[in-house]
Amino acid sequence: MHGDRATVRKILTETGDTWAVVGLSNNESRAAYGVAAVLQRFGKRVVPVHPKAETVHGEKGYASLADIPFDVDVVDVFVNADLAGGVADEAVDKGAKAVWFQLGVVDEDAYARTRDAGLDMVMDRCPAIEIPLLD
């Protein structure tokens, strides 16, 4: 398990409310779509990042993290593990405070690099599962 309870809690409650969700499009059958809706219900601003740059859940989308013209607190990653490390590096470059790799997304090297860069990181977990568990 990568990301202890304290780190999960910190990211969800203290790190900031602007979440870039990488892999989020209007495809309602994808996990990102539902998770983004849950994040919004819990007060997060969800910024879609996807090559299609679609508006999702009322928020304008961007093709890449670098294209977002404002600061992002957390980067939530819904891409395959072979692409996720590159997204983590982009999150560091963007100045994000934390990176969250979704369930099934595991890259040990990216985890180490991201932590070494000073960011909090959770891997192989889902914020939509974790938020309701906060007391």
Side-chain angles (χ1 to χ4, degrees), residues 62-77:
Y62 298 89
S64 72
L65 286 174
D67 290 342
I68 301 174
F70 47 83
D71 290 340
V72 167
D73 299 309
V74 182
V75 176
D76 190 8
V77 182

PDB file of all heavy atoms in Angstrom, residues 62-77:
ATOM      1  N   TYR A  62      -8.523  20.494 -20.550  1.00  0.00           N
ATOM      2  CA  TYR A  62      -7.253  20.867 -21.174  1.00  0.00           C
ATOM      3  C   TYR A  62      -6.569  19.619 -21.705  1.00  0.00           C
ATOM      4  O   TYR A  62      -6.732  18.532 -21.160  1.00  0.00           O
ATOM      5  CB  TYR A  62      -6.346  21.583 -20.158  1.00  0.00           C
ATOM      6  CG  TYR A  62      -6.959  22.865 -19.653  1.00  0.00           C
ATOM      7  CD1 TYR A  62      -7.788  22.862 -18.544  1.00  0.00           C
ATOM      8  CD2 TYR A  62      -6.747  24.065 -20.319  1.00  0.00           C
ATOM      9  CE1 TYR A  62      -8.388  24.038 -18.092  1.00  0.00           C
ATOM     10  CE2 TYR A  62      -7.340  25.248 -19.884  1.00  0.00           C
ATOM     11  CZ  TYR A  62      -8.159  25.224 -18.767  1.00  0.00           C
ATOM     12  OH  TYR A  62      -8.755  26.393 -18.340  1.00  0.00           O
ATOM     13  N   ALA A  63      -5.783  19.794 -22.757  1.00  0.00           N
ATOM     14  CA  ALA A  63      -5.135  18.653 -23.397  1.00  0.00           C
ATOM     15  C   ALA A  63      -3.974  18.116 -22.568  1.00  0.00           C
ATOM     16  O   ALA A  63      -3.627  16.944 -22.687  1.00  0.00           O
ATOM     17  CB  ALA A  63      -4.660  19.037 -24.789  1.00  0.00           C
ATOM     18  N   SER A  64      -3.371  18.963 -21.743  1.00  0.00           N
ATOM     19  CA  SER A  64      -2.237  18.526 -20.911  1.00  0.00           C
ATOM     20  C   SER A  64      -2.201  19.354 -19.640  1.00  0.00           C
ATOM     21  O   SER A  64      -2.813  20.432 -19.561  1.00  0.00           O
ATOM     22  CB  SER A  64      -0.919  18.686 -21.666  1.00  0.00           C
ATOM     23  OG  SER A  64      -0.596  20.066 -21.764  1.00  0.00           O
ATOM     24  N   LEU A  65      -1.457  18.861 -18.651  1.00  0.00           N
ATOM     25  CA  LEU A  65      -1.286  19.637 -17.416  1.00  0.00           C
ATOM     26  C   LEU A  65      -0.664  20.994 -17.704  1.00  0.00           C
ATOM     27  O   LEU A  65      -1.036  22.005 -17.116  1.00  0.00           O
ATOM     28  CB  LEU A  65      -0.398  18.866 -16.434  1.00  0.00           C
ATOM     29  CG  LEU A  65      -1.016  17.663 -15.726  1.00  0.00           C
ATOM     30  CD1 LEU A  65       0.047  16.938 -14.907  1.00  0.00           C
ATOM     31  CD2 LEU A  65      -2.173  18.092 -14.836  1.00  0.00           C
ATOM     32  N   ALA A  66       0.296  21.013 -18.615  1.00  0.00           N
ATOM     33  CA  ALA A  66       1.001  22.263 -18.918  1.00  0.00           C
ATOM     34  C   ALA A  66       0.065  23.317 -19.497  1.00  0.00           C
ATOM     35  O   ALA A  66       0.336  24.516 -19.380  1.00  0.00           O
ATOM     36  CB  ALA A  66       2.150  21.988 -19.878  1.00  0.00           C
ATOM     37  N   ASP A  67      -1.041  22.877 -20.118  1.00  0.00           N
ATOM     38  CA  ASP A  67      -1.985  23.814 -20.732  1.00  0.00           C
ATOM     39  C   ASP A  67      -2.893  24.505 -19.718  1.00  0.00           C
ATOM     40  O   ASP A  67      -3.556  25.486 -20.050  1.00  0.00           O
ATOM     41  CB  ASP A  67      -2.873  23.089 -21.748  1.00  0.00           C
ATOM     42  CG  ASP A  67      -2.112  22.660 -22.987  1.00  0.00           C
ATOM     43  OD1 ASP A  67      -1.020  23.197 -23.234  1.00  0.00           O
ATOM     44  OD2 ASP A  67      -2.625  21.775 -23.711  1.00  0.00           O
ATOM     45  N   ILE A  68      -2.957  23.994 -18.496  1.00  0.00           N
ATOM     46  CA  ILE A  68      -3.843  24.581 -17.487  1.00  0.00           C
ATOM     47  C   ILE A  68      -3.245  25.914 -17.040  1.00  0.00           C
ATOM     48  O   ILE A  68      -2.118  25.956 -16.550  1.00  0.00           O
ATOM     49  CB  ILE A  68      -4.014  23.638 -16.275  1.00  0.00           C
ATOM     50  CG1 ILE A  68      -4.585  22.294 -16.727  1.00  0.00           C
ATOM     51  CG2 ILE A  68      -4.919  24.281 -15.227  1.00  0.00           C
ATOM     52  CD1 ILE A  68      -4.652  21.243 -15.622  1.00  0.00           C
ATOM     53  N   PRO A  69      -4.007  27.020 -17.200  1.00  0.00           N
ATOM     54  CA  PRO A  69      -3.424  28.351 -16.949  1.00  0.00           C
ATOM     55  C   PRO A  69      -3.505  28.802 -15.493  1.00  0.00           C
ATOM     56  O   PRO A  69      -3.405  29.982 -15.206  1.00  0.00           O
ATOM     57  CB  PRO A  69      -4.267  29.255 -17.856  1.00  0.00           C
ATOM     58  CG  PRO A  69      -5.601  28.592 -17.880  1.00  0.00           C
ATOM     59  CD  PRO A  69      -5.332  27.103 -17.810  1.00  0.00           C
ATOM     60  N   PHE A  70      -3.672  27.877 -14.568  1.00  0.00           N
ATOM     61  CA  PHE A  70      -3.727  28.227 -13.145  1.00  0.00           C
ATOM     62  C   PHE A  70      -3.092  27.090 -12.354  1.00  0.00           C
ATOM     63  O   PHE A  70      -2.793  26.020 -12.898  1.00  0.00           O
ATOM     64  CB  PHE A  70      -5.172  28.474 -12.688  1.00  0.00           C
ATOM     65  CG  PHE A  70      -6.158  27.429 -13.132  1.00  0.00           C
ATOM     66  CD1 PHE A  70      -6.314  26.232 -12.424  1.00  0.00           C
ATOM     67  CD2 PHE A  70      -6.945  27.640 -14.263  1.00  0.00           C
ATOM     68  CE1 PHE A  70      -7.212  25.267 -12.838  1.00  0.00           C
ATOM     69  CE2 PHE A  70      -7.845  26.666 -14.680  1.00  0.00           C
ATOM     70  CZ  PHE A  70      -7.982  25.477 -13.972  1.00  0.00           C
ATOM     71  N   ASP A  71      -2.893  27.342 -11.071  1.00  0.00           N
ATOM     72  CA  ASP A  71      -2.232  26.344 -10.227  1.00  0.00           C
ATOM     73  C   ASP A  71      -3.149  25.157  -9.946  1.00  0.00           C
ATOM     74  O   ASP A  71      -4.369  25.308  -9.837  1.00  0.00           O
ATOM     75  CB  ASP A  71      -1.803  26.972  -8.897  1.00  0.00           C
ATOM     76  CG  ASP A  71      -0.660  27.958  -9.061  1.00  0.00           C
ATOM     77  OD1 ASP A  71       0.046  27.880 -10.088  1.00  0.00           O
ATOM     78  OD2 ASP A  71      -0.472  28.806  -8.174  1.00  0.00           O
ATOM     79  N   VAL A  72      -2.535  24.003  -9.808  1.00  0.00           N
ATOM     80  CA  VAL A  72      -3.236  22.770  -9.501  1.00  0.00           C
ATOM     81  C   VAL A  72      -2.651  22.220  -8.204  1.00  0.00           C
ATOM     82  O   VAL A  72      -1.425  22.219  -8.031  1.00  0.00           O
ATOM     83  CB  VAL A  72      -3.048  21.761 -10.656  1.00  0.00           C
ATOM     84  CG1 VAL A  72      -3.487  20.375 -10.252  1.00  0.00           C
ATOM     85  CG2 VAL A  72      -3.791  22.229 -11.896  1.00  0.00           C
ATOM     86  N   ASP A  73      -3.513  21.766  -7.300  1.00  0.00           N
ATOM     87  CA  ASP A  73      -3.042  21.234  -6.020  1.00  0.00           C
ATOM     88  C   ASP A  73      -2.705  19.748  -6.102  1.00  0.00           C
ATOM     89  O   ASP A  73      -1.665  19.305  -5.633  1.00  0.00           O
ATOM     90  CB  ASP A  73      -4.105  21.451  -4.937  1.00  0.00           C
ATOM     91  CG  ASP A  73      -4.396  22.928  -4.727  1.00  0.00           C
ATOM     92  OD1 ASP A  73      -3.434  23.708  -4.540  1.00  0.00           O
ATOM     93  OD2 ASP A  73      -5.573  23.328  -4.762  1.00  0.00           O
ATOM     94  N   VAL A  74      -3.627  18.977  -6.679  1.00  0.00           N
ATOM     95  CA  VAL A  74      -3.477  17.529  -6.738  1.00  0.00           C
ATOM     96  C   VAL A  74      -3.665  17.065  -8.179  1.00  0.00           C
ATOM     97  O   VAL A  74      -4.568  17.553  -8.880  1.00  0.00           O
ATOM     98  CB  VAL A  74      -4.514  16.817  -5.835  1.00  0.00           C
ATOM     99  CG1 VAL A  74      -4.317  15.294  -5.867  1.00  0.00           C
ATOM    100  CG2 VAL A  74      -4.433  17.336  -4.402  1.00  0.00           C
ATOM    101  N   VAL A  75      -2.838  16.137  -8.624  1.00  0.00           N
ATOM    102  CA  VAL A  75      -2.996  15.525  -9.942  1.00  0.00           C
ATOM    103  C   VAL A  75      -3.421  14.073  -9.725  1.00  0.00           C
ATOM    104  O   VAL A  75      -2.685  13.276  -9.149  1.00  0.00           O
ATOM    105  CB  VAL A  75      -1.697  15.607 -10.765  1.00  0.00           C
ATOM    106  CG1 VAL A  75      -1.861  14.876 -12.106  1.00  0.00           C
ATOM    107  CG2 VAL A  75      -1.315  17.072 -11.003  1.00  0.00           C
ATOM    108  N   ASP A  76      -4.647  13.769 -10.152  1.00  0.00           N
ATOM    109  CA  ASP A  76      -5.235  12.436 -10.008  1.00  0.00           C
ATOM    110  C   ASP A  76      -5.100  11.731 -11.355  1.00  0.00           C
ATOM    111  O   ASP A  76      -5.582  12.238 -12.373  1.00  0.00           O
ATOM    112  CB  ASP A  76      -6.708  12.592  -9.603  1.00  0.00           C
ATOM    113  CG  ASP A  76      -7.356  11.291  -9.197  1.00  0.00           C
ATOM    114  OD1 ASP A  76      -6.672  10.272  -9.076  1.00  0.00           O
ATOM    115  OD2 ASP A  76      -8.596  11.301  -9.000  1.00  0.00           O
ATOM    116  N   VAL A  77      -4.427  10.574 -11.361  1.00  0.00           N
ATOM    117  CA  VAL A  77      -3.975   9.961 -12.609  1.00  0.00           C
ATOM    118  C   VAL A  77      -4.749   8.687 -12.933  1.00  0.00           C
ATOM    119  O   VAL A  77      -4.677   7.699 -12.204  1.00  0.00           O
ATOM    120  CB  VAL A  77      -2.456   9.665 -12.533  1.00  0.00           C
ATOM    121  CG1 VAL A  77      -1.960   9.082 -13.844  1.00  0.00           C
ATOM    122  CG2 VAL A  77      -1.681  10.941 -12.182  1.00  0.00           C
TER     123      VAL A  77
END
